[in-house]
């Protein structure tokens, strides 16, 4: 494992534990026994380090979800699998999901935006392809992805936000069928 990888792993651990406001590069440096020079050679600022953690978590989620969205077969089944993969990823990565759901400072998001641009394009292209297939099969009207994505994942996403905060007790995957039906009903409502 490279020094950069060690820094990212420790930074993620600390960010997920204490949040951005309480997080510091110095605490990561001390935990790893690194010099200040080594830390700042790898990452120029707290925001840059936190943005890299944010990008890593988002890319992990998007890779999983995109593979499912681009899966072959019946689009109804693919929508169901997409919702299930979302719920499973959040449940399996509760702290990472909570970090992604939290409102982050502009400085972090601005640094992450450039790194996420291509990944976001690929992710939403996959959702767009799924929506187009669903429309071809009569599951929904032809919809732009900025409408179809929230229709598919909105209720599940809101529940997951609440679950990561400890506001609801039932694990997301226990409600998979409920949120799959909700996604399909939302898409059908556009016909």
């Amino acid at each position: 494992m490279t020094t950069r990888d060690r820094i990212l792993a420790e930074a993620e651990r600390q960010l997920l534990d204490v949040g951005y406001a309480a997080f510091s590069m110095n605490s990561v440096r001390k935990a790893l026994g690194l010099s200040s020079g080594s830390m700042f050679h790898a990452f120029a600022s707290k925001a840059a380090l936190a943005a890299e953690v944010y990008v890593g978590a988002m890319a992990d989620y998007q890779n999983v979800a995109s593979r499912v969205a681009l899966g072959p077969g019946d689009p109804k089944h693919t929508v169901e699998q997409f919702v299930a993969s979302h719920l499973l990823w959040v449940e399996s990565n509760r702290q990472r999901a909570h970090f992604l759901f939290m409102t982050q400072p502009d400085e972090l998001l601005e640094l992450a935006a450039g790194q996420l641009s291509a990944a976001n394009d690929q992710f939403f292209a996959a959702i767009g392809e799924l929506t187009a297939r669903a429309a071809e099969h009569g599951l929904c009207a032809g919809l732009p992805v900025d409408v179809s994505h929230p229709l598919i994942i909105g209720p599940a996403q809101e529940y997951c936000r609440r679950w990561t905060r400890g506001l609801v007790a039932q694990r997301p995957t226990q409600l998979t069928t409920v949120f799959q039906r909700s996604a399909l009903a939302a898409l059908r409502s556009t016909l």
Side-chain angles (χ1 to χ4, degrees), residues 26-165:
N26 193 43
S27 64
V28 173
R29 184 190 65 76
K30 285 182 178 180
L32 296 175
L34 297 173
S35 68
S36 294
S38 293
M39 276 298 294
F40 287 101
H41 176 72
F43 296 96
S45 67
K46 168 183 168 173
L49 179 52
E52 190 89 16
V53 171
Y54 184 91
V55 167
M58 184 64 76
D60 183 50
Y61 167 75
Q62 288 181 338
N63 287 334
V64 169
S66 293
R67 277 195 308 273
V68 172
L70 293 171
D74 174 43
K76 176 184 175 285
H77 177 71
T78 305
V79 167
E80 291 171 338
Q81 291 308 110
F82 181 79
V83 171
S85 73
H86 176 81
L87 297 169
L88 180 60
W89 189 90
V90 169
E91 191 172 304
S92 301
N93 296 274
R94 186 175 187 160
Q95 286 186 292
R96 291 177 100 194
H98 181 66
F99 181 63
L100 292 176
F101 292 154
M102 291 173 58
T103 302
Q104 299 296 344
D106 289 342
E107 62 186 7
L108 183 160
L109 295 176
E110 287 169 10
L111 290 168
Q115 297 176 58
L116 283 173
S117 179
N120 285 340
D121 290 347
Q122 290 176 349
F123 174 73
F124 287 109
I127 305 304
E129 286 182 36
L130 172 57
T131 305
R133 286 189 2 242
E136 288 170 11
H137 283 80
L139 188 59
C140 63
L143 301 167
V145 72
D146 57 343
V147 174
S148 64
H149 180 254
L151 286 174
I152 293 168
I153 211 68
Q157 178 82 335
E158 182 56 29
Y159 185 85
C160 287
R161 284 179 194 274
R162 294 174 51 84
W163 182 75
T164 63
R165 292 180 181 159

Side-chain angles (χ1 to χ4, degrees), residues 168-186:
V168 292
Q170 205 167 3
R171 292 188 335 271
T173 57
Q174 292 176 308
L175 299 166
T176 299
T177 302
V178 169
F179 290 121
Q180 287 171 328
R181 289 178 182 157
S182 174
L184 293 170

Side-chain angles (χ1 to χ4, degrees), residues 5-28:
D5 292 339
R6 290 177 53 230
I7 292 170
L8 280 168
E10 180 61 24
E12 180 170 317
R13 188 191 68 72
Q14 290 189 26
L15 273 165
L16 300 184
D17 189 41
V18 302
Y20 184 78
F23 172 73
S24 75
M25 289 185 67
N26 193 43
S27 64
V28 173

